Amino acid sequence: MVRLATASLVGTAIEFFDFFVYGTAAALVLGPLFFPTFSPLAGTLAAFGTFAIGFVARPLGSVLFGHVGDRYGRRPVLFASLLLTGCATVAVGCVPTYETIGIAAPLLLLTLRFLQGLGLGGEWGGAVLLTAEHAPANRRALWASFPQIGPAVGFLLANGVMLALTAGLSDADFRSWGWRVPFCAAGVLAAAGLLLRSSLAETPQFEELSASGRRANAPLTEIVRDHWRLVLLTAGALAVGYAVFYTVSTWALAYGTERLGVSSTVMLTCVMAAVAVKGAATPFVALLADRWGRRPLCLAGCGASALWMFPMVALLHTAEPLLMFLGFLGSLLAFITMFAVIAAYLPELYEPRVRCTGAAVGYNLAGVLGGALTPIVATTLSDGGSGPPWGVAAYLTVVALISLGCFALLPETLPAPSELAEAAPA
Protein backbone atom coordinates (compact mmCIF):
# COMPACT_ATOMS: atom_id res chain seq x y z
CA MET A 1 0.00 0.00 0.00
CA VAL A 2 2.87 2.41 0.69
CA ARG A 3 4.31 1.83 -2.78
CA LEU A 4 0.90 2.16 -4.45
CA ALA A 5 -0.01 5.26 -2.48
CA THR A 6 3.36 6.86 -3.24
CA ALA A 7 3.02 6.19 -6.96
CA SER A 8 -0.48 7.67 -6.99
CA LEU A 9 0.61 10.72 -5.00
CA VAL A 10 3.62 11.40 -7.22
CA GLY A 11 1.59 11.01 -10.40
CA THR A 12 -1.19 13.34 -9.31
CA ALA A 13 1.41 15.81 -8.04
CA ILE A 14 3.07 15.90 -11.46
CA GLU A 15 -0.19 16.27 -13.36
CA PHE A 16 -1.46 18.98 -11.05
CA PHE A 17 1.91 20.73 -11.29
CA ASP A 18 1.22 20.93 -15.02
CA PHE A 19 -2.33 22.18 -14.46
CA PHE A 20 -1.55 24.70 -11.70
CA VAL A 21 1.47 26.26 -13.34
CA TYR A 22 -0.85 27.34 -16.14
CA GLY A 23 -3.28 28.90 -13.65
CA THR A 24 -0.49 30.88 -11.99
CA ALA A 25 0.87 32.02 -15.34
CA ALA A 26 -2.66 33.05 -16.39
CA ALA A 27 -2.94 35.21 -13.27
CA LEU A 28 0.51 36.79 -13.62
CA VAL A 29 1.64 37.02 -17.22
CA LEU A 30 -0.38 35.34 -20.00
CA GLY A 31 -2.86 38.20 -20.50
CA PRO A 32 -0.42 40.82 -21.82
CA LEU A 33 1.67 38.26 -23.74
CA PHE A 34 -1.12 36.50 -25.61
CA PHE A 35 -3.92 39.12 -25.55
CA PRO A 36 -2.00 42.43 -25.82
CA THR A 37 -4.74 44.24 -27.76
CA PHE A 38 -7.14 43.88 -24.82
CA SER A 39 -7.41 46.19 -21.81
CA PRO A 40 -5.71 44.88 -18.64
CA LEU A 41 -9.04 43.61 -17.26
CA ALA A 42 -10.10 42.06 -20.57
CA GLY A 43 -6.66 40.48 -20.97
CA THR A 44 -6.91 38.88 -17.53
CA LEU A 45 -10.41 37.62 -18.33
CA ALA A 46 -9.19 36.19 -21.65
CA ALA A 47 -6.27 34.44 -19.92
CA PHE A 48 -8.69 32.99 -17.37
CA GLY A 49 -10.85 31.92 -20.33
CA THR A 50 -8.03 29.74 -21.64
CA PHE A 51 -7.65 28.51 -18.05
CA ALA A 52 -11.34 27.51 -18.04
CA ILE A 53 -10.95 25.46 -21.24
CA GLY A 54 -8.92 22.94 -19.25
CA PHE A 55 -11.88 22.36 -16.96
CA VAL A 56 -14.28 21.95 -19.86
CA ALA A 57 -11.98 19.25 -21.24
CA ARG A 58 -11.74 17.35 -17.96
CA PRO A 59 -15.19 15.65 -18.11
CA LEU A 60 -14.42 14.61 -21.70
CA GLY A 61 -11.14 13.15 -20.47
CA SER A 62 -12.95 11.31 -17.71
CA VAL A 63 -15.32 9.78 -20.28
CA LEU A 64 -12.45 8.75 -22.56
CA PHE A 65 -10.13 7.41 -19.87
CA GLY A 66 -13.01 6.14 -17.75
CA HIS A 67 -13.99 3.86 -20.63
CA VAL A 68 -10.42 2.58 -20.75
CA GLY A 69 -10.35 2.10 -16.97
CA ASP A 70 -13.64 0.19 -16.84
CA ARG A 71 -12.95 -1.91 -19.94
CA TYR A 72 -9.19 -2.51 -19.87
CA GLY A 73 -8.04 -1.70 -16.34
CA ARG A 74 -7.10 1.15 -14.05
CA ARG A 75 -3.37 0.78 -14.72
CA PRO A 76 -3.33 1.83 -18.43
CA VAL A 77 -5.16 5.05 -17.51
CA LEU A 78 -2.27 6.12 -15.28
CA PHE A 79 0.24 5.95 -18.13
CA ALA A 80 -1.82 7.49 -20.93
CA SER A 81 -3.14 10.42 -18.89
CA LEU A 82 0.28 11.37 -17.50
CA LEU A 83 1.90 11.16 -20.94
CA LEU A 84 -0.76 13.37 -22.56
CA THR A 85 -0.69 16.03 -19.85
CA GLY A 86 3.10 16.14 -19.73
CA CYS A 87 3.49 16.57 -23.49
CA ALA A 88 0.82 19.29 -23.67
CA THR A 89 2.43 21.22 -20.81
CA VAL A 90 5.89 21.17 -22.38
CA ALA A 91 4.34 22.40 -25.61
CA VAL A 92 2.75 25.39 -23.80
CA GLY A 93 6.25 26.46 -22.79
CA CYS A 94 7.26 26.53 -26.45
CA VAL A 95 4.33 28.54 -27.88
CA PRO A 96 5.44 31.90 -29.36
CA THR A 97 3.61 34.97 -28.09
CA TYR A 98 1.08 37.13 -29.94
CA GLU A 99 3.84 39.54 -30.94
CA THR A 100 5.56 36.74 -32.90
CA ILE A 101 2.76 34.77 -34.58
CA GLY A 102 -0.37 36.85 -33.98
CA ILE A 103 -3.75 35.21 -33.45
CA ALA A 104 -2.22 31.73 -33.80
CA ALA A 105 -0.62 32.19 -30.36
CA PRO A 106 -3.82 32.24 -28.25
CA LEU A 107 -5.36 29.55 -30.47
CA LEU A 108 -2.41 27.24 -29.81
CA LEU A 109 -2.66 28.08 -26.12
CA LEU A 110 -6.34 27.10 -26.10
CA THR A 111 -5.64 23.81 -27.88
CA LEU A 112 -2.84 22.79 -25.54
CA ARG A 113 -4.82 23.78 -22.46
CA PHE A 114 -7.65 21.57 -23.74
CA LEU A 115 -5.25 18.63 -24.05
CA GLN A 116 -3.97 19.31 -20.52
CA GLY A 117 -7.49 19.09 -19.18
CA LEU A 118 -8.20 15.95 -21.19
CA GLY A 119 -5.26 14.18 -19.56
CA LEU A 120 -6.06 15.40 -16.06
CA GLY A 121 -9.65 14.24 -16.48
CA GLY A 122 -8.37 10.67 -16.65
CA GLU A 123 -5.64 10.94 -14.02
CA TRP A 124 -7.80 11.40 -10.95
CA GLY A 125 -10.02 8.35 -11.53
CA GLY A 126 -7.11 6.02 -12.25
CA ALA A 127 -4.98 7.20 -9.32
CA VAL A 128 -7.80 7.13 -6.78
CA LEU A 129 -9.11 3.71 -7.82
CA LEU A 130 -5.61 2.26 -7.76
CA THR A 131 -5.36 3.00 -4.03
CA ALA A 132 -9.04 2.70 -3.03
CA GLU A 133 -9.49 -0.73 -4.62
CA HIS A 134 -6.29 -2.10 -3.06
CA ALA A 135 -6.90 -0.62 0.40
CA PRO A 136 -8.43 -2.52 3.36
CA ALA A 137 -11.96 -1.38 4.14
CA ASN A 138 -11.10 -0.02 7.58
CA ARG A 139 -8.42 2.31 6.17
CA ARG A 140 -9.80 3.00 2.72
CA ALA A 141 -10.27 6.74 3.25
CA LEU A 142 -6.73 7.08 4.61
CA TRP A 143 -5.00 5.31 1.71
CA ALA A 144 -7.26 6.87 -0.92
CA SER A 145 -6.41 10.33 0.45
CA PHE A 146 -2.81 10.10 -0.75
CA PRO A 147 -3.69 11.05 -4.35
CA GLN A 148 -5.52 14.02 -2.80
CA ILE A 149 -2.23 15.23 -1.32
CA GLY A 150 -0.84 15.31 -4.87
CA PRO A 151 -2.63 18.54 -5.86
CA ALA A 152 -1.09 20.34 -2.86
CA VAL A 153 2.38 19.05 -3.76
CA GLY A 154 1.87 19.97 -7.41
CA PHE A 155 0.67 23.45 -6.45
CA LEU A 156 3.67 24.02 -4.18
CA LEU A 157 6.08 22.83 -6.86
CA ALA A 158 4.47 24.98 -9.55
CA ASN A 159 4.27 28.09 -7.44
CA GLY A 160 7.64 27.49 -5.79
CA VAL A 161 9.24 27.60 -9.21
CA MET A 162 7.19 30.69 -10.13
CA LEU A 163 8.11 32.34 -6.83
CA ALA A 164 11.81 31.72 -7.40
CA LEU A 165 11.58 33.05 -10.94
CA THR A 166 9.64 36.20 -10.05
CA ALA A 167 12.00 36.90 -7.14
CA GLY A 168 15.21 36.15 -9.04
CA LEU A 169 14.49 37.68 -12.43
CA SER A 170 13.65 41.16 -13.55
CA ASP A 171 10.07 41.71 -14.68
CA ALA A 172 11.28 41.96 -18.28
CA ASP A 173 13.20 38.67 -18.13
CA PHE A 174 10.29 36.88 -16.46
CA ARG A 175 7.89 38.03 -19.16
CA SER A 176 10.40 37.28 -21.91
CA TRP A 177 11.45 33.72 -21.01
CA GLY A 178 11.23 33.03 -17.27
CA TRP A 179 7.57 32.01 -17.27
CA ARG A 180 8.37 29.22 -19.75
CA VAL A 181 10.80 27.40 -17.42
CA PRO A 182 8.25 25.45 -15.31
CA PHE A 183 6.36 24.35 -18.44
CA CYS A 184 9.51 22.90 -19.95
CA ALA A 185 10.48 21.27 -16.64
CA ALA A 186 7.21 19.32 -16.78
CA GLY A 187 8.76 16.95 -19.33
CA VAL A 188 11.38 15.73 -16.82
CA LEU A 189 8.73 15.29 -14.11
CA ALA A 190 6.44 13.34 -16.44
CA ALA A 191 9.27 10.95 -17.40
CA ALA A 192 10.00 10.32 -13.71
CA GLY A 193 6.34 9.65 -13.00
CA LEU A 194 6.01 7.17 -15.87
CA LEU A 195 9.07 5.30 -14.60
CA LEU A 196 7.65 5.09 -11.07
CA ARG A 197 4.31 3.75 -12.31
CA SER A 198 5.80 1.09 -14.59
CA SER A 199 5.77 -1.65 -11.92
CA LEU A 200 2.27 -1.12 -10.51
CA ALA A 201 -0.19 -4.02 -10.38
CA GLU A 202 -3.80 -3.95 -11.52
CA THR A 203 -6.44 -3.66 -8.79
CA PRO A 204 -8.03 -6.84 -7.36
CA GLN A 205 -11.57 -5.63 -8.04
CA PHE A 206 -10.90 -5.06 -11.74
CA GLU A 207 -9.18 -8.45 -12.05
CA GLU A 208 -12.25 -10.05 -10.46
CA LEU A 209 -14.55 -8.23 -12.89
CA SER A 210 -12.39 -9.30 -15.81
CA ALA A 211 -12.23 -12.93 -14.72
CA SER A 212 -15.99 -13.15 -14.23
CA GLY A 213 -16.81 -11.43 -17.54
CA ARG A 214 -18.77 -8.64 -15.81
CA ARG A 215 -16.90 -5.68 -17.28
CA ALA A 216 -19.15 -2.96 -18.69
CA ASN A 217 -19.25 -2.88 -22.49
CA ALA A 218 -20.37 0.76 -22.59
CA PRO A 219 -19.69 2.37 -19.19
CA LEU A 220 -20.91 5.83 -20.18
CA THR A 221 -24.21 4.43 -21.46
CA GLU A 222 -24.79 2.68 -18.15
CA ILE A 223 -23.89 5.82 -16.20
CA VAL A 224 -26.29 7.99 -18.21
CA ARG A 225 -29.07 5.41 -18.04
CA ASP A 226 -28.78 4.17 -14.45
CA HIS A 227 -26.71 6.69 -12.47
CA TRP A 228 -27.40 10.13 -13.98
CA ARG A 229 -28.93 11.46 -10.75
CA LEU A 230 -25.89 10.34 -8.75
CA VAL A 231 -23.51 12.01 -11.23
CA LEU A 232 -25.39 15.31 -11.01
CA LEU A 233 -25.53 15.20 -7.20
CA THR A 234 -21.82 14.46 -6.84
CA ALA A 235 -20.94 17.18 -9.34
CA GLY A 236 -23.09 19.71 -7.48
CA ALA A 237 -21.73 18.59 -4.12
CA LEU A 238 -18.09 18.99 -5.12
CA ALA A 239 -18.53 22.29 -6.99
CA VAL A 240 -17.87 24.35 -3.84
CA GLY A 241 -14.47 22.72 -3.35
CA TYR A 242 -13.31 23.76 -6.79
CA ALA A 243 -14.79 27.23 -6.39
CA VAL A 244 -13.03 27.82 -3.07
CA PHE A 245 -9.69 26.40 -4.15
CA TYR A 246 -9.44 28.33 -7.40
CA THR A 247 -10.64 31.52 -5.77
CA VAL A 248 -7.69 31.27 -3.39
CA SER A 249 -5.08 29.87 -5.77
CA THR A 250 -5.90 31.79 -8.98
CA TRP A 251 -8.29 34.74 -8.62
CA ALA A 252 -6.75 35.99 -5.37
CA LEU A 253 -3.32 36.14 -7.01
CA ALA A 254 -4.61 38.38 -9.78
CA TYR A 255 -6.72 40.50 -7.40
CA GLY A 256 -3.89 40.95 -4.90
CA THR A 257 -1.31 41.96 -7.48
CA GLU A 258 -3.48 44.04 -9.82
CA ARG A 259 -6.00 45.66 -7.45
CA LEU A 260 -4.28 45.77 -4.07
CA GLY A 261 -0.75 46.40 -5.31
CA VAL A 262 0.73 43.48 -3.36
CA SER A 263 3.85 41.98 -4.94
CA SER A 264 3.41 38.63 -6.66
CA THR A 265 6.09 37.20 -4.36
CA VAL A 266 4.08 38.05 -1.24
CA MET A 267 0.82 36.74 -2.73
CA LEU A 268 2.41 33.47 -3.82
CA THR A 269 4.02 33.00 -0.41
CA CYS A 270 0.70 33.50 1.42
CA VAL A 271 -1.16 31.09 -0.82
CA MET A 272 1.63 28.50 -0.76
CA ALA A 273 1.81 28.52 3.04
CA ALA A 274 -1.94 27.88 3.28
CA VAL A 275 -1.77 25.09 0.67
CA ALA A 276 1.13 23.44 2.56
CA VAL A 277 -0.94 23.26 5.76
CA LYS A 278 -3.90 21.96 3.77
CA GLY A 279 -1.79 19.18 2.26
CA ALA A 280 -0.38 18.17 5.65
CA ALA A 281 -3.89 18.00 7.14
CA THR A 282 -5.26 15.70 4.42
CA PRO A 283 -4.44 12.24 5.90
CA PHE A 284 -5.63 13.28 9.37
CA VAL A 285 -9.02 14.32 8.01
CA ALA A 286 -9.18 11.02 6.10
CA LEU A 287 -8.62 9.10 9.36
CA LEU A 288 -11.67 10.85 10.79
CA ALA A 289 -13.66 9.68 7.77
CA ASP A 290 -12.63 6.08 8.46
CA ARG A 291 -13.84 6.55 12.03
CA TRP A 292 -16.99 8.65 11.69
CA GLY A 293 -18.06 8.31 8.06
CA ARG A 294 -17.70 10.21 4.78
CA ARG A 295 -20.89 12.25 4.64
CA PRO A 296 -20.63 14.06 8.03
CA LEU A 297 -17.22 15.49 7.14
CA CYS A 298 -18.42 16.62 3.71
CA LEU A 299 -21.39 18.39 5.29
CA ALA A 300 -19.10 20.03 7.85
CA GLY A 301 -16.72 21.24 5.12
CA CYS A 302 -19.59 22.75 3.10
CA GLY A 303 -21.01 24.47 6.15
CA ALA A 304 -17.61 25.89 7.09
CA SER A 305 -17.13 27.17 3.53
CA ALA A 306 -20.47 28.98 3.60
CA LEU A 307 -19.58 30.66 6.90
CA TRP A 308 -16.01 31.63 5.99
CA MET A 309 -16.29 33.30 2.58
CA PHE A 310 -17.13 36.80 3.85
CA PRO A 311 -14.33 36.76 6.47
CA MET A 312 -11.91 35.45 3.81
CA VAL A 313 -12.68 38.32 1.42
CA ALA A 314 -12.38 40.85 4.24
CA LEU A 315 -8.99 39.46 5.29
CA LEU A 316 -7.77 39.42 1.68
CA HIS A 317 -8.74 43.07 1.20
CA THR A 318 -6.50 44.17 4.09
CA ALA A 319 -3.46 43.36 1.89
CA GLU A 320 -1.66 42.37 5.12
CA PRO A 321 0.31 39.13 4.52
CA LEU A 322 -0.54 37.43 7.84
CA LEU A 323 -4.24 38.27 7.60
CA MET A 324 -4.41 37.16 3.97
CA PHE A 325 -2.73 33.89 4.95
CA LEU A 326 -5.32 33.32 7.70
CA GLY A 327 -8.14 33.98 5.25
CA PHE A 328 -6.71 31.52 2.74
CA LEU A 329 -5.99 28.93 5.43
CA GLY A 330 -9.54 28.93 6.77
CA SER A 331 -10.89 28.47 3.25
CA LEU A 332 -8.56 25.60 2.40
CA LEU A 333 -9.14 23.77 5.68
CA ALA A 334 -12.87 23.85 4.93
CA PHE A 335 -12.06 22.63 1.42
CA ILE A 336 -9.93 19.69 2.55
CA THR A 337 -12.53 18.58 5.09
CA MET A 338 -14.51 17.57 2.00
CA PHE A 339 -11.81 16.69 -0.50
CA ALA A 340 -9.72 14.46 1.76
CA VAL A 341 -12.79 12.23 1.98
CA ILE A 342 -14.12 12.07 -1.56
CA ALA A 343 -11.33 9.85 -2.89
CA ALA A 344 -12.95 7.04 -0.90
CA TYR A 345 -16.51 8.41 -0.99
CA LEU A 346 -16.98 8.73 -4.76
CA PRO A 347 -15.72 5.23 -5.69
CA GLU A 348 -17.91 3.72 -2.96
CA LEU A 349 -20.99 5.44 -4.42
CA TYR A 350 -20.60 3.64 -7.79
CA GLU A 351 -20.65 -0.07 -8.55
CA PRO A 352 -17.24 -1.46 -9.61
CA ARG A 353 -18.13 -2.13 -13.27
CA VAL A 354 -18.69 1.58 -14.01
CA ARG A 355 -16.73 3.07 -11.11
CA CYS A 356 -13.86 4.57 -13.11
CA THR A 357 -16.23 6.43 -15.44
CA GLY A 358 -18.86 7.43 -12.88
CA ALA A 359 -16.53 8.71 -10.17
CA ALA A 360 -14.31 10.58 -12.65
CA VAL A 361 -17.20 12.17 -14.56
CA GLY A 362 -18.85 13.39 -11.35
CA TYR A 363 -15.55 14.73 -10.01
CA ASN A 364 -14.55 16.53 -13.20
CA LEU A 365 -18.01 17.85 -14.01
CA ALA A 366 -17.79 19.58 -10.64
CA GLY A 367 -14.62 21.21 -11.94
CA VAL A 368 -16.61 22.80 -14.76
CA LEU A 369 -19.32 24.01 -12.38
CA GLY A 370 -17.04 25.27 -9.64
CA GLY A 371 -13.55 25.75 -11.07
CA ALA A 372 -13.82 26.82 -14.70
CA LEU A 373 -15.97 29.89 -14.23
CA THR A 374 -14.99 31.00 -10.72
CA PRO A 375 -11.90 33.09 -11.66
CA ILE A 376 -13.88 34.76 -14.46
CA VAL A 377 -16.96 35.41 -12.29
CA ALA A 378 -14.85 36.61 -9.37
CA THR A 379 -12.80 38.94 -11.60
CA THR A 380 -15.99 40.44 -13.03
CA LEU A 381 -17.63 40.83 -9.60
CA SER A 382 -14.54 42.49 -8.13
CA ASP A 383 -14.13 45.04 -10.93
CA GLY A 384 -14.70 48.60 -9.77
CA GLY A 385 -15.19 50.03 -6.32
CA SER A 386 -12.66 50.57 -3.57
CA GLY A 387 -14.15 48.35 -0.86
CA PRO A 388 -13.88 44.60 -0.35
CA PRO A 389 -15.37 42.56 -3.21
CA TRP A 390 -18.41 41.33 -1.30
CA GLY A 391 -19.97 40.06 -4.52
CA VAL A 392 -17.26 37.38 -4.67
CA ALA A 393 -18.05 36.32 -1.10
CA ALA A 394 -21.78 36.18 -1.84
CA TYR A 395 -21.20 34.11 -4.98
CA LEU A 396 -19.04 31.57 -3.09
CA THR A 397 -21.53 31.37 -0.23
CA VAL A 398 -24.35 30.54 -2.64
CA VAL A 399 -22.22 27.82 -4.28
CA ALA A 400 -21.44 26.39 -0.81
CA LEU A 401 -25.12 26.24 0.12
CA ILE A 402 -26.01 24.48 -3.15
CA SER A 403 -23.25 21.94 -2.53
CA LEU A 404 -24.48 21.46 1.04
CA GLY A 405 -27.91 20.54 -0.29
CA CYS A 406 -26.42 18.04 -2.75
CA PHE A 407 -24.32 16.36 -0.04
CA ALA A 408 -27.44 16.13 2.14
CA LEU A 409 -29.12 14.04 -0.58
CA LEU A 410 -26.22 11.58 -0.90
CA PRO A 411 -26.07 8.39 1.22
CA GLU A 412 -23.37 7.37 3.68
CA THR A 413 -20.94 4.73 2.36
CA LEU A 414 -18.82 3.88 5.40
CA PRO A 415 -18.29 0.08 5.23
CA ALA A 416 -20.53 -1.99 7.49
CA PRO A 417 -19.14 -3.15 10.87
CA SER A 418 -18.90 -6.73 9.58
CA GLU A 419 -16.72 -5.63 6.64
CA LEU A 420 -14.58 -3.49 8.93
CA ALA A 421 -14.12 -6.39 11.33
CA GLU A 422 -12.95 -8.65 8.49
CA ALA A 423 -10.44 -6.00 7.37
CA ALA A 424 -9.04 -5.34 10.84
CA PRO A 425 -5.72 -7.03 11.71
CA ALA A 426 -5.91 -10.13 13.93
Side-chain angles (χ1 to χ4, degrees):
M1 284 307 308
V2 172
R3 183 169 57 87
L4 288 166
T6 300
S8 294
L9 189 160
V10 170
T12 53
I14 292 168
E15 293 222 38
F16 276 93
F17 169 88
D18 298 349
F19 204 72
F20 287 143
V21 79
Y22 190 100
T24 305
L28 298 179
V29 75
L30 294 187
L33 291 180
F34 288 87
F35 304 95
T37 60
F38 291 12
S39 68
L41 174 63
T44 300
L45 288 171
F48 282 152
T50 63
F51 175 76
I53 290 295
F55 285 98
V56 174
R58 284 173 65 167
L60 300 178
S62 64
V63 170
L64 172 64
F65 289 105
H67 180 88
V68 173
D70 286 325
R71 283 292 299 156
Y72 305 106
R74 318 321 191 191
R75 190 170 174 268
V77 172
L78 298 177
F79 290 92
S81 62
L82 182 56
L83 183 63
L84 176 58
T85 307
C87 290
T89 305
V90 172
V92 169
C94 301
V95 175
T97 63
Y98 186 95
E99 184 180 1
T100 304
I101 60 172
I103 191 64
L107 292 178
L108 283 172
L109 206 61
L110 280 169
T111 302
L112 294 171
R113 180 60 175 173
F114 182 87
L115 294 176
Q116 262 193 334
L118 206 65
L120 193 61
E123 164 66 24
W124 186 85
V128 163
L129 292 190
L130 186 76
T131 50
E133 292 187 347
H134 273 101
N138 63 328
R139 286 291 179 265
R140 185 175 295 140
L142 172 63
W143 288 113
S145 74
F146 277 79
Q148 296 298 83
I149 302 173
V153 176
F155 182 87
L156 292 173
L157 284 173
N159 288 279
V161 173
M162 283 292 192
L163 182 61
L165 290 168
T166 55
L169 296 175
S170 66
D171 185 64
D173 284 342
F174 180 73
R175 290 174 178 270
S176 174
W177 59 269
W179 69 273
R180 299 181 184 273
V181 172
F183 290 95
C184 296
V188 177
L189 295 176
L194 291 170
L195 181 63
L196 182 62
R197 288 179 165 183
S198 61
S199 61
L200 298 179
E202 188 52 78
T203 70
Q205 289 191 22
F206 180 79
E207 290 182 339
E208 181 183 342
L209 284 172
S210 185
S212 62
R214 292 187 291 113
R215 289 177 297 170
N217 291 320
L220 181 62
T221 301
E222 290 192 31
I223 288 293
V224 172
R225 184 185 66 225
D226 302 327
H227 304 286
W228 62 269
R229 181 176 180 272
L230 181 57
V231 169
L232 294 179
L233 281 177
T234 53
L238 300 179
V240 64
Y242 281 98
V244 168
F245 187 87
Y246 286 101
T247 294
V248 170
S249 66
T250 302
W251 169 77
L253 285 177
Y255 182 81
T257 55
E258 295 173 8
R259 291 289 306 278
L260 302 180
V262 181
S263 75
S264 58
T265 301
V266 170
M267 290 302 303
L268 283 171
T269 301
C270 292
V271 175
M272 288 172 63
V275 170
V277 176
K278 184 266 293 185
T282 301
F284 298 100
V285 176
L287 280 171
L288 295 177
D290 278 325
R291 179 73 174 84
W292 302 108
R294 292 42 164 143
R295 187 169 170 267
L297 270 77
C298 291
L299 292 171
C302 269
S305 296
L307 293 172
W308 188 247
M309 292 302 97
F310 278 90
M312 186 273 287
V313 165
L315 291 169
L316 168 63
H317 193 71
T318 66
E320 291 292 332
L322 179 59
L323 296 179
M324 290 192 296
F325 162 73
L326 292 175
F328 298 155
L329 179 61
S331 300
L332 293 184
L333 289 179
F335 159 84
I336 205 58
T337 303
M338 297 172 279
F339 271 57
V341 175
I342 59 166
Y345 194 19
L346 258 65
E348 289 171 344
L349 286 168
Y350 292 89
E351 56 182 304
R353 59 185 277 116
V354 294
R355 179 174 288 160
C356 195
T357 301
V361 169
Y363 182 84
N364 288 297
L365 186 58
V368 177
L369 300 176
L373 297 179
T374 291
I376 297 173
V377 172
T379 300
T380 303
L381 291 174
S382 60
D383 181 40
S386 57
W390 299 124
V392 176
Y395 166 74
L396 293 172
T397 302
V398 170
V399 174
L401 292 175
I402 293 172
S403 292
L404 185 67
C406 291
F407 270 124
L409 295 174
L410 290 171
E412 178 57 72
T413 62
L414 183 69
S418 58
E419 188 180 353
L420 294 175
E422 291 176 3

